[in-house]
């Protein structure tokens, strides 16, 4: 699977390469923070549902297999949402660093 890297610049470009408008890094950071929080809610909901299905498997032995399958699916969804949260946290952090660089607040050090 090829990974696609997004590079942020001071200006957004149209498809023809002409410059459009400056990047609002503060808005971008806020956007990633919002997505990070949505991912956290998704992870919490999926984890809660997995626990519910685990309880149902014990409570309803006749349909225990169905509940165990649903528990595993929900647990996988919770892990996936956790990965998404990690990704968005990284994007938020990157946007903040780029805003600081754009405004001269942060300098790269070699050591």
């Amino acid at each position: 699977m090829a990974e696609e890297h997004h590079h942020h610049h001071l200006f957004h470009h149209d498809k023809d390469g002409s410059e459009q408008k400056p990047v609002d890094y503060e808005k971008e950071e806020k956007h990633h923070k919002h997505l990070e929080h949505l991912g956290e809610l998704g992870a919490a909901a999926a984890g809660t549902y997995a626990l519910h299905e685990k309880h149902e498997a014990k409570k309803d032995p006749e349909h225990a297999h169905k509940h165990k399958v649903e528990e595993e699916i929900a647990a996988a969804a919770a892990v996936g949402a956790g990965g998404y949260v990690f990704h968005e946290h990284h994007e938020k952090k990157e946007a903040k660093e780029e805003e600081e660089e754009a405004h001269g607040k942060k300098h790269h050090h070699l050591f």
Side-chain angles (χ1 to χ4, degrees):
M1 185 168 106
E3 287 190 35
E4 190 175 312
H5 295 282
H6 298 281
H7 296 282
H8 302 280
H9 302 283
L10 290 175
F11 294 92
H12 285 292
H13 296 277
D14 282 336
K15 290 180 183 178
D16 65 359
S18 64
E19 289 184 0
Q20 196 176 23
K21 59 183 177 181
V23 175
D24 186 348
Y25 290 111
E26 194 171 317
K27 185 176 179 181
E28 187 175 333
E29 181 184 352
K30 188 175 180 180
H31 174 69
H32 289 296
K33 183 177 183 178
H34 177 73
L35 293 176
E36 181 182 358
H37 285 167
L38 286 175
E40 288 170 349
L41 288 172
T48 300
Y49 188 71
L51 289 174
H52 167 74
E53 286 299 323
K54 184 174 187 170
H55 173 73
E56 287 296 311
K58 291 178 184 175
K59 192 171 120 181
D60 183 13
E62 188 176 331
H63 300 104
H65 181 71
K66 174 185 173 258
H67 292 299
K68 290 298 285 180
V69 168
E70 290 184 4
E71 175 193 350
E72 291 296 323
I73 292 169
V79 169
Y84 180 74
V85 168
F86 183 78
H87 166 76
E88 286 302 327
H89 179 75
H90 174 75
E91 290 291 317
K92 177 183 74 173
K93 187 176 173 183
E94 190 175 273
K96 184 176 185 174
E97 289 172 356
E98 288 176 0
E99 178 184 14
E100 289 173 353
E101 286 176 18
H103 292 91
K105 296 179 185 176
K106 187 172 183 177
H107 302 281
H108 287 286
H109 297 283
L110 295 176
F111 300 99

